[in-house]
Amino acid sequence: MATVHLRIGDLVWGKLGRYPPWPGKVVSPPKDLKKPRGKKCHFVKFFGTEDHAWIKVEQLKPYHAHKEEMIKINKGKRFQQAVDSVEDYLKKAKGKEQNSDSKSDSKGKKGPSKPLKILEEDDEDLSALKDPSEKPASSMEPISKRLKIVEEDSGSTSIQAADSTAINGSITPTDKRIGFLGLGLMGSGIVSNLLKMGHVVTVWNRTAEKSQPPSARQCDLFIQEGARLGRTPAEVVSMCDITFSCVSDPKAARDLVLGPSGVLQGIRPGKCYVEMSTVDPETITELSQEIKSRGGRFLEAPVAGSQQISNDGMLVILAAGDRTVYEDCSSCFQAMGKTSFFLGEAGNAARMMLILNMVQGSFMATIAEGLTLAQATGQSQQTFLDILCQGQMASTFVDQKCQNILQGNFKPDYYLKHIQKDLRLAISMGDMANHPTPMAAAANEVYKRAKALDQSDNDISAVYRAYIH
């Protein structure tokens, strides 16, 4: 894809994480706002909101060239209001240009029209940049909250890859009613993409628990974007044809199904239940049997990825169980991920996911060990990372996690406590298969140390702190 050259005043579509491309305009940043280091980006003001953000160049598309495409794939009310704002802006700009031309004609100095400049008075009035702490107008509050980012925002991969609509633009959403239980780091991005692609979704979350992170208390946000609200898991299942769940661990998965007003109370013959949580094969077998005992259909579909990958609709989905349910979920899986695999009987996806997360967790612990050993021996950690990223081990994962460590940024993209849980389950699976897992066992001890240092709710990269305390 050819590089798009943009200038101050150009209209663009800007992609922010899990949210749809939004119409904006390249503007000059305030003098005291520095450009993020090492990133080729432009400062963008978004239409329909008072939000501004640094956006990587690969996350920007020219407005006019992609207008038809974007309007076709995004149907939200606030999105349409933003597009209308752009069109109003263009009409005003065109009117000013024509007025300028007619004045020129009356003076007998007719000449070629000046090119349309998108640098009118509202561009230059940078006082319009609101303080991030200010509450936006109520009519724009939901989208305003969704579009605000900070300079340190890690950003997603390039828009060609991260924009799931570019890959799955031909998705026709299923006419089946979709339910979703659990709006944590992963579930929120999944639901956002389901709604974006036109699915009818009913959501439920344990919002009453103060222990839940802010990202898990977002039912209202999704309701405002078109989702429906279920009062209990049982109600969601009874209202929907296919219900997905994505919770933290085996106990939470069991409680959701078997507890009071749980999934099992709403299952009827033909209802489909899709377990997306990363749990052990034994839990999957138990839940599958319980669902099928009520005439329901069961599929497990844990996902490989992180919060950012979930937001971008680029998850890798591992499915197993009822093949017909897998086929019924086709449009949903296309909306939330870049690819999916069907692995046979229920339990196989859980096994594969635990193996993958075991490798990832062990790898992250090793990278952290390398960084701290470099420091302990008087070597530059940044140089270590620069060399690492020029070799065969180079990857977005390595670069992002190491940069986060060096910046002291441990905002969770995948909870440390969850990767430790997965390591523990993988080791147990190895024990049952009488297969040695010494590397995972060693990594697990490091994560346990990190948890003891109150790093549970930080990102997995916070395992680094286990080596420096």
Side-chain angles (χ1 to χ4, degrees):
M1 178 176 166
T3 301
V4 177
H5 298 286
L6 297 171
R7 299 175 299 174
I8 299 295
D10 285 349
L11 295 179
V12 294
W13 297 97
K15 181 77 168 67
L16 290 176
R18 64 187 167 111
Y19 306 115
W22 205 260
K25 180 171 48 180
V26 178
V27 298
S28 298
K31 293 180 180 179
D32 59 348
L33 185 61
K34 295 181 180 179
K35 181 181 292 188
R37 190 178 58 152
K39 296 180 180 179
K40 293 182 179 179
C41 51
H42 292 286
F43 195 64
V44 176
K45 174 183 177 181
F46 291 98
F47 283 88
T49 79
E50 289 298 329
D51 298 320
H52 301 69
W54 286 108
I55 307 294
K56 289 183 179 180
V57 293
E58 60 265 29
Q59 301 286 53
L60 296 168
K61 290 184 175 181
Y63 177 80
H64 295 287
H66 295 273
K67 175 184 172 183
E68 185 176 340
E69 166 196 347
M70 296 303 177
I71 292 177
K72 183 177 180 181
I73 62 178
N74 296 303
K75 304 295 183 183
K77 181 179 179 181
R78 291 180 181 83
F79 174 83
Q80 188 56 55
Q81 289 173 340
V83 174
D84 290 343
S85 296
V86 180
E87 297 306 309
D88 288 343
Y89 178 84
L90 289 171
K91 287 179 183 177
K92 291 178 181 178
K94 186 175 181 179
K96 290 179 181 179
E97 182 184 7
Q98 291 174 342
N99 186 50
S100 175
D101 286 346
S102 59
K103 287 181 179 179
S104 184
D105 288 345
S106 67
K107 294 179 181 180
K109 297 181 180 179
K110 184 175 181 180
S113 299
K114 294 182 180 179
L116 180 62
K117 281 281 188 179
I118 315 298
L119 268 176
E120 303 297 335
E121 60 275 1
D122 61 336
D123 270 319
E124 297 179 359
D125 184 13
L126 293 178
S127 63
L129 285 166
K130 286 192 174 181
D131 186 298
S133 63
E134 283 187 34
K135 189 172 183 180
S138 58
S139 64
M140 292 301 173
E141 185 172 51
I143 196 65
S144 178
K145 287 182 179 178
R146 293 174 65 155
L147 286 178
K148 282 200 188 303
I149 65 169
V150 293
E151 284 186 72
E152 297 84 40
D153 187 69
S154 59
S156 60
T157 51
S158 67
I159 195 166
Q160 300 97 306
D163 186 355
S164 60
T165 60
I167 297 174
N168 304 317
S170 60
I171 291 177
T172 300
T174 178
D175 58 2
K176 297 182 182 298
R177 295 164 296 179
I178 304 301
F180 205 96
L181 312 175
L183 299 174
L185 290 184
M186 305 296 283
S188 291
I190 291 172
V191 171
S192 179
N193 282 308
L194 287 172
L195 290 170
K196 174 182 172 182
M197 291 299 173
H199 295 83
V200 177
V201 185
T202 300
V203 297
W204 175 89
N205 194 60
R206 293 177 293 177
T207 55
E209 297 187 17
K210 293 183 179 179
S211 62
Q212 292 294 306
S215 60
R217 298 195 296 268
Q218 295 193 11
C219 277
D220 288 345
L221 174 63
F222 294 115
I223 300 305
Q224 291 163 359
E225 293 304 310
R228 302 172 183 179
L229 179 65
R231 292 174 296 179
T232 66
E235 182 177 86
V236 173
V237 172
S238 65
M239 292 168 60
C240 299
D241 303 303
I242 303 172
T243 300
F244 296 86
S245 73
C246 188
V247 292
S248 58
D249 55 37
K251 182 182 184 304
R254 287 192 180 94
D255 290 347
L256 197 60
V257 174
L258 306 174
S261 300
V263 168
L264 209 59
Q265 304 305 311
I267 289 292
R268 300 288 183 273
K271 295 282 186 182
C272 302
Y273 188 65
V274 183
E275 181 58 79
M276 304 192 79
S277 313
T278 300
V279 298
D280 55 282
E282 292 72 32
T283 296
I284 290 297
T285 299
E286 177 186 357
L287 297 182
S288 175
Q289 290 173 348
E290 293 286 356
I291 296 296
K292 291 192 289 186
S293 72
R294 300 291 181 93
R297 300 157 63 201
F298 182 86
L299 184 76
E300 61 166 333
V303 292
S306 62
Q307 180 187 32
Q308 186 62 55
I309 292 172
S310 175
N311 291 347
D312 293 337
M314 294 296 287
L315 293 167
V316 175
I317 300 142
L318 309 182
D322 190 324
R323 180 68 187 243
T324 61
V325 179
Y326 174 70
E327 293 168 354
D328 286 344
C329 292
S330 176
S331 73
C332 297
F333 289 158
Q334 288 180 65
M336 66 180 74
K338 65 178 180 179
T339 189
S340 63
F341 295 84
F342 184 78
L343 304 178
E345 64 181 21
N348 283 344
R351 295 182 184 93
M352 186 68 79
M353 184 57 62
L354 289 178
I355 294 168
L356 289 170
N357 284 357
M358 177 189 75
V359 172
Q360 177 176 277
S362 300
F363 182 56
M364 185 68 252
T366 301
I367 292 295
E369 189 172 295
L371 279 169
T372 52
L373 182 58
Q375 185 179 44
T377 56
Q379 305 305 303
S380 165
Q381 291 181 316
Q382 183 62 58
T383 301
F384 166 74
L385 173 57
D386 292 341
I387 295 171
L388 191 64
C389 288
Q390 291 300 316
Q392 292 179 322
M393 295 176 65
S395 68
T396 301
F397 176 82
V398 170
D399 183 47
Q400 289 182 345
K401 295 305 180 187
C402 288
Q403 290 291 0
N404 287 348
I405 288 172
L406 297 182
Q407 295 167 11
N409 174 21
F410 298 107
K411 179 181 177 182
D413 194 39
Y414 192 94
Y415 285 118
L416 183 143
K417 62 186 177 184
H418 289 171
I419 202 71
Q420 192 274 321
K421 173 262 297 181
D422 295 343
L423 281 164
R424 174 174 52 81
L425 294 177
I427 293 166
S428 176
M429 188 170 70
D431 288 342
M432 294 182 67
N434 196 30
H435 184 82
T437 53
M439 306 304 293
N444 187 45
E445 293 303 314
V446 182
Y447 283 97
K448 285 163 62 176
R449 168 68 176 159
K451 287 177 65 177
L453 294 169
D454 295 325
Q455 300 303 309
S456 290
D457 292 325
N458 282 334
D459 187 66
I460 64 172
S461 55
V463 69
Y464 173 85
R465 289 179 169 168
Y467 290 99
I468 59 176
H469 289 86

